[in-house]
Amino acid sequence: MNKTAATGQEQPARESNINAIVSYFESGIKAFGGPGELGIELEQIIVHDDLSPVSYSGEHGVAWVLRQLAADYPRTTTDEHGDLLGVARPSEAVTIEPAAQIELSAGPFADLATARDTFEGFAQRLSDVLEPAGEKALAIGYHPSATARSLELIPKRRYQFMDLYLGERDIYGPCMMRGSASTQVSIDYTSTADCLRKLRLAFALVPMLSLMCDNAPVFEGKPREHQLVRTDIWQHVDNDRCGLVPDVLDPSFDLRRYAEYILDTVAILIPCQQQRWCYSDRTFGDIYAARTMTRAEVEHAVSMFFTDVRLKTYIEIRPADAMPIPYVIAYAALIKGLFYAPTSLDAMDGLFADVRRDDYLAAQDALMERGYEAEVYGRPVAELCDRIVKIARDGLADEEQGFLEPLADLVARRVTLADLAERSERA
């Protein structure tokens, strides 16, 4: 009988569930030689003009904002009580995060000009709604004025359970859910080997990407005490499902080990008929011990992990703070240049071949303490960031290299958006 070391419980369906998860990942394989498409997500924090919070409810709350957007994004998502949680149109979905941070998920994009136009168009439409109400959207990594626990959760049962569970796991679960906002870029893979290679390289890049995209000058209503606030938050949420996938930087890592990791982690919540979501403190492997998971159940299980890079049917690169749109598109250009050119992948293999878990954790700690003055993976991080930018630029087509410049300029100046915000505040 198949048992798991995590709980010792018999799991007769364990092998079929491993296969179901691996098959789900493999279903994302795209044809070789495709256009190299990107998915982009940008979360923004809605505030009043005086930077005080705008909640979900209220006269001009985020629920009202979504209703105003529905004319242009006519596909609506509501909960069982009729609360509006999102609006959409083809290739664009507007949703809300736990404390009503508003997110545009768009793509996939084959070219960066279309991505820029899409996000700028949404920003203009959002501004048209917010400005008359004395509100604005901030593309910033953390709420500029409020403490996380003072922010109202939206009426979504899933988030109620997660807030309770993560609030007991470590100190910053509510800060992650309610106070933070991010930029995420997703990439495709063309084989299992390509998936594993890109997954490993993306994780190795995370410390540098976190530095380049640091945009959280304020934490819990006060000036930050160190750089890379986002990194610190995620280190204190739930180490069972955040940070680094176990052994992912080991050259022998495979999709089976990823599947085992998912099965051996507490679910927190699972779909149920009566109330849509039910709490569970059992592992996914124990919950589905006697039968094979459906695809929908696999999708949900994968969504309950918040690692710095997350595998679905694409690779989601997650360490960047929310940023203004020119920097979002620059970040997308960086990712495109790094991951969709064979020469770029080869160059990164050379840079990161020896990086392992301890190197990764040491890099994060060094960057939080010293920023661009730190050493990472045995060399000055400033030099490493220069090299990464050059690899990305060389991997982009001539007509798209210009999109990289806002981020490349920050790297060349050895500053972050958070640094610039601090300087502006002091001036």
Side-chain angles (χ1 to χ4, degrees), residues 3-61:
K3 291 186 179 182
T4 170
T7 63
Q9 180 176 324
E10 292 182 350
Q11 295 182 4
R14 184 173 178 83
E15 194 65 28
S16 66
N17 279 325
I18 290 172
N19 292 335
I21 296 169
V22 170
S23 295
Y24 170 73
F25 292 146
E26 290 176 338
S27 73
I29 293 172
K30 303 296 191 296
F32 182 78
E37 294 180 325
L38 302 169
I40 304 174
E41 300 177 18
L42 174 62
E43 300 167 0
Q44 298 183 77
I45 296 169
I46 309 301
V47 295
H48 296 286
D49 286 341
D50 64 0
L51 301 185
S52 61
V54 172
S55 65
Y56 174 82
S57 58
E59 183 181 3
H60 293 117

Side-chain angles (χ1 to χ4, degrees), residues 181-199:
S182 70
T183 302
Q184 299 175 15
V185 176
S186 300
I187 57 173
D188 291 327
Y189 44 90
T190 59
S191 67
T192 299
D194 187 53
C195 173
L196 292 168
R197 183 190 196 188
K198 287 175 176 173
L199 193 64

Side-chain angles (χ1 to χ4, degrees), residues 296-407:
E297 288 164 344
V298 170
E299 288 177 337
H300 165 68
V302 170
S303 78
M304 292 304 298
F305 289 75
F306 314 109
T307 47
D308 296 331
V309 179
R310 180 165 62 181
L311 181 58
K312 294 183 173 179
T313 51
Y314 45 84
I315 296 170
E316 190 178 74
I317 303 173
R318 299 165 48 85
D321 280 328
M323 299 178 287
I325 289 170
Y327 296 93
V328 170
I329 303 306
Y331 180 51
L334 184 81
I335 299 302
K336 184 174 186 176
L338 291 173
F339 286 95
Y340 283 134
T343 54
S344 297
L345 293 170
D346 291 343
M348 288 195 294
D349 277 338
L351 278 180
F352 303 129
D354 298 325
V355 172
R356 298 293 182 268
R357 176 182 181 274
D358 288 348
D359 305 308
Y360 182 91
L361 298 177
Q364 291 186 318
D365 289 343
L367 290 172
M368 282 190 287
E369 181 180 352
R370 303 195 65 202
Y372 270 107
E373 295 180 358
E375 285 205 357
V376 169
Y377 305 155
R379 61 193 296 179
V381 73
E383 294 180 9
L384 195 52
C385 289
D386 287 341
R387 178 72 177 131
I388 289 165
V389 169
K390 184 179 187 308
I391 291 171
R393 183 177 284 115
D394 292 344
L396 289 168
D398 290 347
E399 64 272 17
E400 293 199 320
Q401 290 181 2
F403 289 108
L404 186 60
E405 289 314 305
L407 207 56

Side-chain angles (χ1 to χ4, degrees), residues 256-267:
R256 180 184 177 87
R257 285 161 77 177
Y258 204 130
E260 290 173 336
Y261 165 56
I262 291 170
L263 290 175
D264 292 339
T265 302
V266 169

Side-chain angles (χ1 to χ4, degrees), residues 98-121:
Q101 307 97 312
I102 198 160
E103 174 186 294
L104 175 63
S105 302
F109 298 107
D111 67 274
L112 296 169
T114 302
R116 176 201 59 203
D117 293 347
T118 297
F119 278 84
E120 287 182 348

